[in-house]
Amino acid sequence: AQTVTQSQPEMSVQEAETVTLSCTYDTSESDYYLFWYKQPPSRQMILVIRQEAYKQQNATENRFSVNFQKAAKSFSLKISDSQLGDAAMYFCAYRADSSYKLIFGSGTRLLVRP
Amino acid sequence: GAVVSQHPSRVICKSGTSVKIECRSLDFQATTMFWYRQFPKQSLMLMATSNEGSKATYEQGVEKDKFLINHASLTLSTLTVTSAHPEDSSFYICSARRGVNEQFFGPGTRLTVL
């Protein structure tokens, strides 16, 4: 069965600094997708970034980028120039290409210090 | 991005009553919708996959007679919590699939059973 692990329950970063959130996953599938979702206090889930496993290039969205290490089954999220609005729960998620179901990690709470 | 709504956003009910939660895709047709449950400070757990015009597929451990799902149209799925009890109190989130690789989440419904 596929699993997603986030080993950091909480992380803290100074405003304008950079922070990296960790995620590892386990799967026997060769084709899959990985996601990072943000859940602010409003509880609305927001897609931050998506990575297709067949792509070697790491995905980037403005201040958000990932370090995708397929062999190590690692998918970390780097947030550059952190802003107060980045404070939220961040969930790593996996989806096999053969399914539409998302499997979520346990989440990392990100605190941003002004 | 696409918009998914949920109604109600918050509901309080007495133990033993049934509660219906609606999930609507407002600007796209969704052949597949998903229902998640999120306990405080925990991750999203998939409860069931709802396919338009067919029976929902429930995850292991989810009682299908307890959580009735109806996907009557391409824009509406409903989750009915039957004979609700305090342990059913939780945050329920739906998502709707658009195309192959896009899922949009609703804002969630907080259910409190007294």
Side-chain angles (χ1 to χ4, degrees), chain A residues 33 35 37 39 42-45 50 52 91 95 100-102 104-106, chain B residues 34 36 38 42-44 46 59 91 97 100-101 103 105-107 110:
Chain A
Y33 301 84
F35 308 83
Y37 282 91
Q39 188 180 42
S42 68
R43 307 290 289 271
Q44 175 72 61
M45 295 288 285
R50 177 177 66 212
E52 291 87 349
F91 292 98
R95 178 176 82 79
Y100 292 114
K101 297 195 293 187
L102 287 171
F104 287 90
S106 56
Chain B
F34 303 89
Y36 297 86
Q38 186 178 31
Q42 293 189 25
S43 187
L44 281 74
L46 180 66
E59 295 299 302
F91 193 70
R97 179 175 69 87
V100 175
N101 202 26
Q103 273 194 45
F105 286 82
R110 181 178 301 281

PDB file of all heavy atoms in Angstrom, chain A residues 33 35 37 39 42-45 50 52 91 95 100-102 104-106, chain B residues 34 36 38 42-44 46 59 91 97 100-101 103 105-107 110:
ATOM      1  N   TYR A  33       1.839  10.906  -9.197  1.00  0.00           N
ATOM      2  CA  TYR A  33       1.923  12.355  -9.037  1.00  0.00           C
ATOM      3  C   TYR A  33       2.097  12.667  -7.553  1.00  0.00           C
ATOM      4  O   TYR A  33       1.574  11.960  -6.686  1.00  0.00           O
ATOM      5  CB  TYR A  33       0.643  13.032  -9.543  1.00  0.00           C
ATOM      6  CG  TYR A  33       0.347  12.768 -10.998  1.00  0.00           C
ATOM      7  CD1 TYR A  33      -0.313  11.606 -11.398  1.00  0.00           C
ATOM      8  CD2 TYR A  33       0.732  13.672 -11.981  1.00  0.00           C
ATOM      9  CE1 TYR A  33      -0.577  11.358 -12.726  1.00  0.00           C
ATOM     10  CE2 TYR A  33       0.462  13.431 -13.316  1.00  0.00           C
ATOM     11  CZ  TYR A  33      -0.191  12.272 -13.680  1.00  0.00           C
ATOM     12  OH  TYR A  33      -0.447  12.017 -14.999  1.00  0.00           O
ATOM     13  N   PHE A  35       2.004  16.005  -4.696  1.00  0.00           N
ATOM     14  CA  PHE A  35       1.438  17.337  -4.492  1.00  0.00           C
ATOM     15  C   PHE A  35       1.824  17.875  -3.120  1.00  0.00           C
ATOM     16  O   PHE A  35       2.052  17.124  -2.177  1.00  0.00           O
ATOM     17  CB  PHE A  35      -0.105  17.272  -4.542  1.00  0.00           C
ATOM     18  CG  PHE A  35      -0.675  16.601  -5.754  1.00  0.00           C
ATOM     19  CD1 PHE A  35      -0.783  15.220  -5.806  1.00  0.00           C
ATOM     20  CD2 PHE A  35      -1.130  17.350  -6.834  1.00  0.00           C
ATOM     21  CE1 PHE A  35      -1.324  14.591  -6.911  1.00  0.00           C
ATOM     22  CE2 PHE A  35      -1.680  16.726  -7.942  1.00  0.00           C
ATOM     23  CZ  PHE A  35      -1.780  15.343  -7.988  1.00  0.00           C
ATOM     24  N   TYR A  37      -0.141  20.591  -0.627  1.00  0.00           N
ATOM     25  CA  TYR A  37      -1.325  21.393  -0.386  1.00  0.00           C
ATOM     26  C   TYR A  37      -1.101  22.238   0.860  1.00  0.00           C
ATOM     27  O   TYR A  37      -0.476  21.816   1.823  1.00  0.00           O
ATOM     28  CB  TYR A  37      -2.561  20.510  -0.181  1.00  0.00           C
ATOM     29  CG  TYR A  37      -3.151  19.951  -1.446  1.00  0.00           C
ATOM     30  CD1 TYR A  37      -2.741  18.717  -1.938  1.00  0.00           C
ATOM     31  CD2 TYR A  37      -4.134  20.643  -2.140  1.00  0.00           C
ATOM     32  CE1 TYR A  37      -3.294  18.187  -3.095  1.00  0.00           C
ATOM     33  CE2 TYR A  37      -4.696  20.132  -3.305  1.00  0.00           C
ATOM     34  CZ  TYR A  37      -4.265  18.907  -3.771  1.00  0.00           C
ATOM     35  OH  TYR A  37      -4.814  18.389  -4.925  1.00  0.00           O
ATOM     36  N   GLN A  39      -3.156  24.314   3.877  1.00  0.00           N
ATOM     37  CA  GLN A  39      -4.444  24.473   4.547  1.00  0.00           C
ATOM     38  C   GLN A  39      -4.314  25.574   5.592  1.00  0.00           C
ATOM     39  O   GLN A  39      -3.832  25.351   6.684  1.00  0.00           O
ATOM     40  CB  GLN A  39      -4.922  23.176   5.196  1.00  0.00           C
ATOM     41  CG  GLN A  39      -6.351  23.259   5.724  1.00  0.00           C
ATOM     42  CD  GLN A  39      -6.844  21.984   6.371  1.00  0.00           C
ATOM     43  OE1 GLN A  39      -6.130  21.330   7.124  1.00  0.00           O
ATOM     44  NE2 GLN A  39      -8.091  21.605   6.084  1.00  0.00           N
ATOM     45  N   SER A  42      -8.517  28.925   7.603  1.00  0.00           N
ATOM     46  CA  SER A  42      -9.868  28.811   7.034  1.00  0.00           C
ATOM     47  C   SER A  42     -10.237  27.367   6.694  1.00  0.00           C
ATOM     48  O   SER A  42     -11.411  27.065   6.455  1.00  0.00           O
ATOM     49  CB  SER A  42      -9.964  29.659   5.761  1.00  0.00           C
ATOM     50  OG  SER A  42      -9.150  29.090   4.740  1.00  0.00           O
ATOM     51  N   ARG A  43      -9.274  26.488   6.658  1.00  0.00           N
ATOM     52  CA  ARG A  43      -9.421  25.049   6.373  1.00  0.00           C
ATOM     53  C   ARG A  43      -9.581  24.759   4.873  1.00  0.00           C
ATOM     54  O   ARG A  43      -9.725  23.615   4.473  1.00  0.00           O
ATOM     55  CB  ARG A  43     -10.583  24.414   7.151  1.00  0.00           C
ATOM     56  CG  ARG A  43     -10.576  24.633   8.636  1.00  0.00           C
ATOM     57  CD  ARG A  43      -9.476  23.893   9.342  1.00  0.00           C
ATOM     58  NE  ARG A  43      -9.645  22.470   9.397  1.00  0.00           N
ATOM     59  CZ  ARG A  43     -10.284  21.820  10.358  1.00  0.00           C
ATOM     60  NH1 ARG A  43     -10.869  22.483  11.335  1.00  0.00           N
ATOM     61  NH2 ARG A  43     -10.358  20.491  10.357  1.00  0.00           N
ATOM     62  N   GLN A  44      -9.604  25.788   4.024  1.00  0.00           N
ATOM     63  CA  GLN A  44      -9.695  25.574   2.584  1.00  0.00           C
ATOM     64  C   GLN A  44      -8.385  24.999   2.065  1.00  0.00           C
ATOM     65  O   GLN A  44      -7.334  25.604   2.246  1.00  0.00           O
ATOM     66  CB  GLN A  44      -9.995  26.898   1.879  1.00  0.00           C
ATOM     67  CG  GLN A  44      -9.991  26.821   0.357  1.00  0.00           C
ATOM     68  CD  GLN A  44     -11.185  26.094  -0.214  1.00  0.00           C
ATOM     69  OE1 GLN A  44     -12.309  26.498  -0.018  1.00  0.00           O
ATOM     70  NE2 GLN A  44     -10.933  25.010  -0.942  1.00  0.00           N
ATOM     71  N   MET A  45      -8.452  23.864   1.406  1.00  0.00           N
ATOM     72  CA  MET A  45      -7.261  23.233   0.844  1.00  0.00           C
ATOM     73  C   MET A  45      -6.873  23.943  -0.448  1.00  0.00           C
ATOM     74  O   MET A  45      -7.692  24.100  -1.357  1.00  0.00           O
ATOM     75  CB  MET A  45      -7.520  21.757   0.561  1.00  0.00           C
ATOM     76  CG  MET A  45      -7.790  20.931   1.803  1.00  0.00           C
ATOM     77  SD  MET A  45      -6.337  20.675   2.811  1.00  0.00           S
ATOM     78  CE  MET A  45      -5.473  19.465   1.827  1.00  0.00           C
ATOM     79  N   ARG A  50       2.649  20.817  -7.923  1.00  0.00           N
ATOM     80  CA  ARG A  50       2.441  19.446  -8.369  1.00  0.00           C
ATOM     81  C   ARG A  50       3.669  18.970  -9.140  1.00  0.00           C
ATOM     82  O   ARG A  50       4.282  19.744  -9.864  1.00  0.00           O
ATOM     83  CB  ARG A  50       1.210  19.364  -9.260  1.00  0.00           C
ATOM     84  CG  ARG A  50       0.945  17.992  -9.847  1.00  0.00           C
ATOM     85  CD  ARG A  50      -0.334  17.980 -10.657  1.00  0.00           C
ATOM     86  NE  ARG A  50      -0.235  18.806 -11.829  1.00  0.00           N
ATOM     87  CZ  ARG A  50      -1.267  19.461 -12.360  1.00  0.00           C
ATOM     88  NH1 ARG A  50      -2.446  19.380 -11.806  1.00  0.00           N
ATOM     89  NH2 ARG A  50      -1.103  20.159 -13.447  1.00  0.00           N
ATOM     90  N   GLU A  52       4.979  15.629 -11.564  1.00  0.00           N
ATOM     91  CA  GLU A  52       4.743  14.340 -12.210  1.00  0.00           C
ATOM     92  C   GLU A  52       5.998  13.488 -12.047  1.00  0.00           C
ATOM     93  O   GLU A  52       7.108  13.985 -12.282  1.00  0.00           O
ATOM     94  CB  GLU A  52       4.442  14.534 -13.693  1.00  0.00           C
ATOM     95  CG  GLU A  52       3.112  15.197 -13.978  1.00  0.00           C
ATOM     96  CD  GLU A  52       3.166  16.721 -13.978  1.00  0.00           C
ATOM     97  OE1 GLU A  52       4.207  17.292 -13.543  1.00  0.00           O
ATOM     98  OE2 GLU A  52       2.205  17.348 -14.413  1.00  0.00           O
ATOM     99  N   PHE A  91       0.338  19.871   3.615  1.00  0.00           N
ATOM    100  CA  PHE A  91       0.182  18.434   3.446  1.00  0.00           C
ATOM    101  C   PHE A  91       0.838  17.994   2.142  1.00  0.00           C
ATOM    102  O   PHE A  91       0.604  18.581   1.084  1.00  0.00           O
ATOM    103  CB  PHE A  91      -1.295  18.046   3.409  1.00  0.00           C
ATOM    104  CG  PHE A  91      -2.015  18.242   4.716  1.00  0.00           C
ATOM    105  CD1 PHE A  91      -2.780  19.369   4.940  1.00  0.00           C
ATOM    106  CD2 PHE A  91      -1.923  17.294   5.713  1.00  0.00           C
ATOM    107  CE1 PHE A  91      -3.453  19.559   6.135  1.00  0.00           C
ATOM    108  CE2 PHE A  91      -2.586  17.466   6.920  1.00  0.00           C
ATOM    109  CZ  PHE A  91      -3.344  18.609   7.128  1.00  0.00           C
ATOM    110  N   ARG A  95      -0.653  10.513  -5.565  1.00  0.00           N
ATOM    111  CA  ARG A  95      -1.717   9.892  -6.337  1.00  0.00           C
ATOM    112  C   ARG A  95      -1.083   8.988  -7.392  1.00  0.00           C
ATOM    113  O   ARG A  95      -0.242   9.443  -8.176  1.00  0.00           O
ATOM    114  CB  ARG A  95      -2.591  10.938  -7.022  1.00  0.00           C
ATOM    115  CG  ARG A  95      -3.703  10.314  -7.878  1.00  0.00           C
ATOM    116  CD  ARG A  95      -4.616  11.357  -8.469  1.00  0.00           C
ATOM    117  NE  ARG A  95      -4.101  11.977  -9.677  1.00  0.00           N
ATOM    118  CZ  ARG A  95      -4.121  11.447 -10.888  1.00  0.00           C
ATOM    119  NH1 ARG A  95      -4.602  10.247 -11.054  1.00  0.00           N
ATOM    120  NH2 ARG A  95      -3.668  12.125 -11.922  1.00  0.00           N
ATOM    121  N   TYR A 100      -7.530   7.985  -8.955  1.00  0.00           N
ATOM    122  CA  TYR A 100      -7.717   9.416  -8.712  1.00  0.00           C
ATOM    123  C   TYR A 100      -7.672   9.740  -7.221  1.00  0.00           C
ATOM    124  O   TYR A 100      -7.826  10.881  -6.829  1.00  0.00           O
ATOM    125  CB  TYR A 100      -9.047   9.880  -9.312  1.00  0.00           C
ATOM    126  CG  TYR A 100      -9.057   9.836 -10.817  1.00  0.00           C
ATOM    127  CD1 TYR A 100      -9.884   8.955 -11.501  1.00  0.00           C
ATOM    128  CD2 TYR A 100      -8.221  10.672 -11.558  1.00  0.00           C
ATOM    129  CE1 TYR A 100      -9.886   8.910 -12.873  1.00  0.00           C
ATOM    130  CE2 TYR A 100      -8.231  10.631 -12.940  1.00  0.00           C
ATOM    131  CZ  TYR A 100      -9.059   9.748 -13.595  1.00  0.00           C
ATOM    132  OH  TYR A 100      -9.061   9.702 -14.962  1.00  0.00           O
ATOM    133  N   LYS A 101      -7.447   8.735  -6.385  1.00  0.00           N
ATOM    134  CA  LYS A 101      -7.471   8.952  -4.945  1.00  0.00           C
ATOM    135  C   LYS A 101      -6.170   9.597  -4.467  1.00  0.00           C
ATOM    136  O   LYS A 101      -5.071   9.176  -4.850  1.00  0.00           O
ATOM    137  CB  LYS A 101      -7.684   7.618  -4.218  1.00  0.00           C
ATOM    138  CG  LYS A 101      -9.011   6.972  -4.529  1.00  0.00           C
ATOM    139  CD  LYS A 101      -9.350   5.873  -3.543  1.00  0.00           C
ATOM    140  CE  LYS A 101      -8.428   4.707  -3.669  1.00  0.00           C
ATOM    141  NZ  LYS A 101      -8.878   3.578  -2.799  1.00  0.00           N
ATOM    142  N   LEU A 102      -6.319  10.589  -3.619  1.00  0.00           N
ATOM    143  CA  LEU A 102      -5.172  11.237  -3.009  1.00  0.00           C
ATOM    144  C   LEU A 102      -4.890  10.617  -1.646  1.00  0.00           C
ATOM    145  O   LEU A 102      -5.798  10.410  -0.854  1.00  0.00           O
ATOM    146  CB  LEU A 102      -5.435  12.730  -2.828  1.00  0.00           C
ATOM    147  CG  LEU A 102      -5.412  13.609  -4.076  1.00  0.00           C
ATOM    148  CD1 LEU A 102      -5.899  15.011  -3.738  1.00  0.00           C
ATOM    149  CD2 LEU A 102      -4.015  13.662  -4.669  1.00  0.00           C
ATOM    150  N   PHE A 104      -2.775  11.412   1.731  1.00  0.00           N
ATOM    151  CA  PHE A 104      -2.137  12.548   2.376  1.00  0.00           C
ATOM    152  C   PHE A 104      -1.187  12.116   3.490  1.00  0.00           C
ATOM    153  O   PHE A 104      -1.402  11.108   4.166  1.00  0.00           O
ATOM    154  CB  PHE A 104      -3.194  13.471   2.991  1.00  0.00           C
ATOM    155  CG  PHE A 104      -3.967  14.266   1.984  1.00  0.00           C
ATOM    156  CD1 PHE A 104      -5.136  13.771   1.439  1.00  0.00           C
ATOM    157  CD2 PHE A 104      -3.529  15.515   1.571  1.00  0.00           C
ATOM    158  CE1 PHE A 104      -5.857  14.495   0.495  1.00  0.00           C
ATOM    159  CE2 PHE A 104      -4.240  16.255   0.637  1.00  0.00           C
ATOM    160  CZ  PHE A 104      -5.399  15.747   0.109  1.00  0.00           C
ATOM    161  N   GLY A 105      -0.150  12.924   3.674  1.00  0.00           N
ATOM    162  CA  GLY A 105       0.696  12.781   4.841  1.00  0.00           C
ATOM    163  C   GLY A 105       0.020  13.416   6.047  1.00  0.00           C
ATOM    164  O   GLY A 105      -1.075  13.974   5.943  1.00  0.00           O
ATOM    165  N   SER A 106       0.685  13.334   7.182  1.00  0.00           N
ATOM    166  CA  SER A 106       0.090  13.819   8.426  1.00  0.00           C
ATOM    167  C   SER A 106       0.149  15.326   8.586  1.00  0.00           C
ATOM    168  O   SER A 106      -0.499  15.876   9.482  1.00  0.00           O
ATOM    169  CB  SER A 106       0.783  13.159   9.622  1.00  0.00           C
ATOM    170  OG  SER A 106       2.176  13.404   9.558  1.00  0.00           O
TER     171      SER A 106
ATOM    172  N   PHE B  34     -14.976  13.327  -4.172  1.00  0.00           N
ATOM    173  CA  PHE B  34     -14.411  12.578  -3.046  1.00  0.00           C
ATOM    174  C   PHE B  34     -14.864  13.207  -1.733  1.00  0.00           C
ATOM    175  O   PHE B  34     -15.007  14.432  -1.646  1.00  0.00           O
ATOM    176  CB  PHE B  34     -12.878  12.606  -3.100  1.00  0.00           C
ATOM    177  CG  PHE B  34     -12.299  12.079  -4.381  1.00  0.00           C
ATOM    178  CD1 PHE B  34     -12.078  12.924  -5.455  1.00  0.00           C
ATOM    179  CD2 PHE B  34     -11.973  10.740  -4.511  1.00  0.00           C
ATOM    180  CE1 PHE B  34     -11.547  12.443  -6.654  1.00  0.00           C
ATOM    181  CE2 PHE B  34     -11.432  10.252  -5.696  1.00  0.00           C
ATOM    182  CZ  PHE B  34     -11.235  11.107  -6.759  1.00  0.00           C
ATOM    183  N   TYR B  36     -13.861  13.464   2.323  1.00  0.00           N
ATOM    184  CA  TYR B  36     -12.818  13.273   3.316  1.00  0.00           C
ATOM    185  C   TYR B  36     -13.343  13.664   4.693  1.00  0.00           C
ATOM    186  O   TYR B  36     -14.266  14.478   4.821  1.00  0.00           O
ATOM    187  CB  TYR B  36     -11.600  14.166   3.010  1.00  0.00           C
ATOM    188  CG  TYR B  36     -10.896  13.879   1.708  1.00  0.00           C
ATOM    189  CD1 TYR B  36     -11.327  14.461   0.527  1.00  0.00           C
ATOM    190  CD2 TYR B  36      -9.781  13.051   1.663  1.00  0.00           C
ATOM    191  CE1 TYR B  36     -10.684  14.209  -0.677  1.00  0.00           C
ATOM    192  CE2 TYR B  36      -9.116  12.803   0.469  1.00  0.00           C
ATOM    193  CZ  TYR B  36      -9.577  13.388  -0.689  1.00  0.00           C
ATOM    194  OH  TYR B  36      -8.930  13.152  -1.862  1.00  0.00           O
ATOM    195  N   GLN B  38     -11.724  14.999   8.458  1.00  0.00           N
ATOM    196  CA  GLN B  38     -10.510  15.518   9.098  1.00  0.00           C
ATOM    197  C   GLN B  38     -10.796  15.793  10.561  1.00  0.00           C
ATOM    198  O   GLN B  38     -11.611  16.676  10.882  1.00  0.00           O
ATOM    199  CB  GLN B  38     -10.023  16.786   8.408  1.00  0.00           C
ATOM    200  CG  GLN B  38      -8.696  17.288   8.947  1.00  0.00           C
ATOM    201  CD  GLN B  38      -8.185  18.527   8.217  1.00  0.00           C
ATOM    202  OE1 GLN B  38      -8.965  19.346   7.737  1.00  0.00           O
ATOM    203  NE2 GLN B  38      -6.879  18.673   8.149  1.00  0.00           N
ATOM    204  N   GLN B  42      -5.343  16.782  12.537  1.00  0.00           N
ATOM    205  CA  GLN B  42      -4.967  15.569  11.838  1.00  0.00           C
ATOM    206  C   GLN B  42      -5.105  15.774  10.335  1.00  0.00           C
ATOM    207  O   GLN B  42      -5.525  16.836   9.868  1.00  0.00           O
ATOM    208  CB  GLN B  42      -5.822  14.385  12.305  1.00  0.00           C
ATOM    209  CG  GLN B  42      -5.574  13.973  13.742  1.00  0.00           C
ATOM    210  CD  GLN B  42      -6.263  12.675  14.082  1.00  0.00           C
ATOM    211  OE1 GLN B  42      -6.550  11.846  13.221  1.00  0.00           O
ATOM    212  NE2 GLN B  42      -6.534  12.476  15.374  1.00  0.00           N
ATOM    213  N   SER B  43      -4.729  14.738   9.616  1.00  0.00           N
ATOM    214  CA  SER B  43      -4.747  14.830   8.170  1.00  0.00           C
ATOM    215  C   SER B  43      -6.129  14.501   7.615  1.00  0.00           C
ATOM    216  O   SER B  43      -7.048  14.147   8.358  1.00  0.00           O
ATOM    217  CB  SER B  43      -3.710  13.873   7.590  1.00  0.00           C
ATOM    218  OG  SER B  43      -3.597  14.048   6.202  1.00  0.00           O
ATOM    219  N   LEU B  44      -6.266  14.617   6.312  1.00  0.00           N
ATOM    220  CA  LEU B  44      -7.503  14.244   5.627  1.00  0.00           C
ATOM    221  C   LEU B  44      -7.494  12.743   5.377  1.00  0.00           C
ATOM    222  O   LEU B  44      -6.523  12.193   4.849  1.00  0.00           O
ATOM    223  CB  LEU B  44      -7.621  14.972   4.279  1.00  0.00           C
ATOM    224  CG  LEU B  44      -8.069  16.419   4.304  1.00  0.00           C
ATOM    225  CD1 LEU B  44      -6.978  17.334   4.808  1.00  0.00           C
ATOM    226  CD2 LEU B  44      -8.508  16.855   2.897  1.00  0.00           C
ATOM    227  N   LEU B  46      -9.562   9.842   3.380  1.00  0.00           N
ATOM    228  CA  LEU B  46     -10.567   9.600   2.352  1.00  0.00           C
ATOM    229  C   LEU B  46     -11.617   8.639   2.883  1.00  0.00           C
ATOM    230  O   LEU B  46     -11.281   7.565   3.403  1.00  0.00           O
ATOM    231  CB  LEU B  46      -9.911   9.035   1.094  1.00  0.00           C
ATOM    232  CG  LEU B  46     -10.845   8.720  -0.075  1.00  0.00           C
ATOM    233  CD1 LEU B  46     -11.466  10.010  -0.619  1.00  0.00           C
ATOM    234  CD2 LEU B  46     -10.090   7.995  -1.193  1.00  0.00           C
ATOM    235  N   GLU B  59     -13.993   3.517   1.439  1.00  0.00           N
ATOM    236  CA  GLU B  59     -12.699   3.040   1.918  1.00  0.00           C
ATOM    237  C   GLU B  59     -12.924   2.036   3.056  1.00  0.00           C
ATOM    238  O   GLU B  59     -13.966   2.028   3.712  1.00  0.00           O
ATOM    239  CB  GLU B  59     -11.841   4.206   2.398  1.00  0.00           C
ATOM    240  CG  GLU B  59     -11.462   5.172   1.289  1.00  0.00           C
ATOM    241  CD  GLU B  59     -10.659   4.511   0.191  1.00  0.00           C
ATOM    242  OE1 GLU B  59      -9.565   3.952   0.486  1.00  0.00           O
ATOM    243  OE2 GLU B  59     -11.116   4.554  -0.977  1.00  0.00           O
ATOM    244  N   PHE B  91     -14.719  17.421  10.784  1.00  0.00           N
ATOM    245  CA  PHE B  91     -14.727  18.352   9.655  1.00  0.00           C
ATOM    246  C   PHE B  91     -14.772  17.504   8.401  1.00  0.00           C
ATOM    247  O   PHE B  91     -13.902  16.650   8.188  1.00  0.00           O
ATOM    248  CB  PHE B  91     -13.460  19.218   9.710  1.00  0.00           C
ATOM    249  CG  PHE B  91     -13.487  20.415   8.811  1.00  0.00           C
ATOM    250  CD1 PHE B  91     -14.327  21.484   9.088  1.00  0.00           C
ATOM    251  CD2 PHE B  91     -12.660  20.501   7.701  1.00  0.00           C
ATOM    252  CE1 PHE B  91     -14.344  22.610   8.278  1.00  0.00           C
ATOM    253  CE2 PHE B  91     -12.673  21.621   6.880  1.00  0.00           C
ATOM    254  CZ  PHE B  91     -13.515  22.676   7.167  1.00  0.00           C
ATOM    255  N   ARG B  97     -13.238  16.253  -9.067  1.00  0.00           N
ATOM    256  CA  ARG B  97     -12.205  16.062 -10.088  1.00  0.00           C
ATOM    257  C   ARG B  97     -12.627  16.711 -11.395  1.00  0.00           C
ATOM    258  O   ARG B  97     -13.741  16.514 -11.866  1.00  0.00           O
ATOM    259  CB  ARG B  97     -11.956  14.572 -10.314  1.00  0.00           C
ATOM    260  CG  ARG B  97     -10.911  14.264 -11.373  1.00  0.00           C
ATOM    261  CD  ARG B  97     -10.625  12.768 -11.455  1.00  0.00           C
ATOM    262  NE  ARG B  97     -11.747  12.014 -11.984  1.00  0.00           N
ATOM    263  CZ  ARG B  97     -11.978  11.806 -13.270  1.00  0.00           C
ATOM    264  NH1 ARG B  97     -11.185  12.335 -14.176  1.00  0.00           N
ATOM    265  NH2 ARG B  97     -12.999  11.065 -13.662  1.00  0.00           N
ATOM    266  N   VAL B 100      -8.177  15.017 -16.005  1.00  0.00           N
ATOM    267  CA  VAL B 100      -7.360  13.896 -15.564  1.00  0.00           C
ATOM    268  C   VAL B 100      -6.672  14.168 -14.243  1.00  0.00           C
ATOM    269  O   VAL B 100      -6.609  13.306 -13.360  1.00  0.00           O
ATOM    270  CB  VAL B 100      -6.303  13.534 -16.636  1.00  0.00           C
ATOM    271  CG1 VAL B 100      -5.377  12.436 -16.125  1.00  0.00           C
ATOM    272  CG2 VAL B 100      -6.987  13.098 -17.922  1.00  0.00           C
ATOM    273  N   ASN B 101      -6.172  15.370 -14.082  1.00  0.00           N
ATOM    274  CA  ASN B 101      -5.258  15.578 -12.964  1.00  0.00           C
ATOM    275  C   ASN B 101      -5.547  16.814 -12.134  1.00  0.00           C
ATOM    276  O   ASN B 101      -4.640  17.381 -11.534  1.00  0.00           O
ATOM    277  CB  ASN B 101      -3.825  15.633 -13.494  1.00  0.00           C
ATOM    278  CG  ASN B 101      -2.821  15.309 -12.410  1.00  0.00           C
ATOM    279  OD1 ASN B 101      -3.103  14.619 -11.439  1.00  0.00           O
ATOM    280  ND2 ASN B 101      -1.627  15.854 -12.564  1.00  0.00           N
ATOM    281  N   GLN B 103      -7.943  18.354  -9.006  1.00  0.00           N
ATOM    282  CA  GLN B 103      -8.954  18.192  -7.970  1.00  0.00           C
ATOM    283  C   GLN B 103      -9.093  19.498  -7.236  1.00  0.00           C
ATOM    284  O   GLN B 103      -8.095  20.134  -6.882  1.00  0.00           O
ATOM    285  CB  GLN B 103      -8.543  17.103  -6.962  1.00  0.00           C
ATOM    286  CG  GLN B 103      -8.946  15.699  -7.338  1.00  0.00           C
ATOM    287  CD  GLN B 103      -8.838  14.725  -6.189  1.00  0.00           C
ATOM    288  OE1 GLN B 103      -9.255  15.020  -5.061  1.00  0.00           O
ATOM    289  NE2 GLN B 103      -8.280  13.554  -6.445  1.00  0.00           N
ATOM    290  N   PHE B 105     -10.989  21.461  -3.989  1.00  0.00           N
ATOM    291  CA  PHE B 105     -11.593  21.163  -2.701  1.00  0.00           C
ATOM    292  C   PHE B 105     -12.662  22.173  -2.315  1.00  0.00           C
ATOM    293  O   PHE B 105     -12.546  23.367  -2.610  1.00  0.00           O
ATOM    294  CB  PHE B 105     -10.518  21.140  -1.609  1.00  0.00           C
ATOM    295  CG  PHE B 105      -9.650  19.917  -1.665  1.00  0.00           C
ATOM    296  CD1 PHE B 105      -8.584  19.845  -2.548  1.00  0.00           C
ATOM    297  CD2 PHE B 105      -9.918  18.832  -0.847  1.00  0.00           C
ATOM    298  CE1 PHE B 105      -7.791  18.705  -2.616  1.00  0.00           C
ATOM    299  CE2 PHE B 105      -9.128  17.695  -0.903  1.00  0.00           C
ATOM    300  CZ  PHE B 105      -8.066  17.630  -1.788  1.00  0.00           C
ATOM    301  N   GLY B 106     -13.678  21.681  -1.634  1.00  0.00           N
ATOM    302  CA  GLY B 106     -14.663  22.560  -1.039  1.00  0.00           C
ATOM    303  C   GLY B 106     -14.118  23.145   0.255  1.00  0.00           C
ATOM    304  O   GLY B 106     -13.078  22.706   0.757  1.00  0.00           O
ATOM    305  N   PRO B 107     -14.814  24.117   0.813  1.00  0.00           N
ATOM    306  CA  PRO B 107     -14.340  24.790   2.031  1.00  0.00           C
ATOM    307  C   PRO B 107     -14.578  23.990   3.298  1.00  0.00           C
ATOM    308  O   PRO B 107     -14.125  24.403   4.372  1.00  0.00           O
ATOM    309  CB  PRO B 107     -15.145  26.087   2.040  1.00  0.00           C
ATOM    310  CG  PRO B 107     -16.414  25.730   1.314  1.00  0.00           C
ATOM    311  CD  PRO B 107     -16.021  24.743   0.264  1.00  0.00           C
ATOM    312  N   ARG B 110     -18.216  21.765   9.124  1.00  0.00           N
ATOM    313  CA  ARG B 110     -17.950  21.329  10.500  1.00  0.00           C
ATOM    314  C   ARG B 110     -19.225  20.785  11.093  1.00  0.00           C
ATOM    315  O   ARG B 110     -20.217  21.504  11.213  1.00  0.00           O
ATOM    316  CB  ARG B 110     -17.438  22.497  11.348  1.00  0.00           C
ATOM    317  CG  ARG B 110     -17.115  22.093  12.784  1.00  0.00           C
ATOM    318  CD  ARG B 110     -16.562  23.254  13.576  1.00  0.00           C
ATOM    319  NE  ARG B 110     -15.350  23.794  12.970  1.00  0.00           N
ATOM    320  CZ  ARG B 110     -14.150  23.249  13.092  1.00  0.00           C
ATOM    321  NH1 ARG B 110     -13.996  22.141  13.783  1.00  0.00           N
ATOM    322  NH2 ARG B 110     -13.122  23.833  12.526  1.00  0.00           N
TER     323      ARG B 110
END
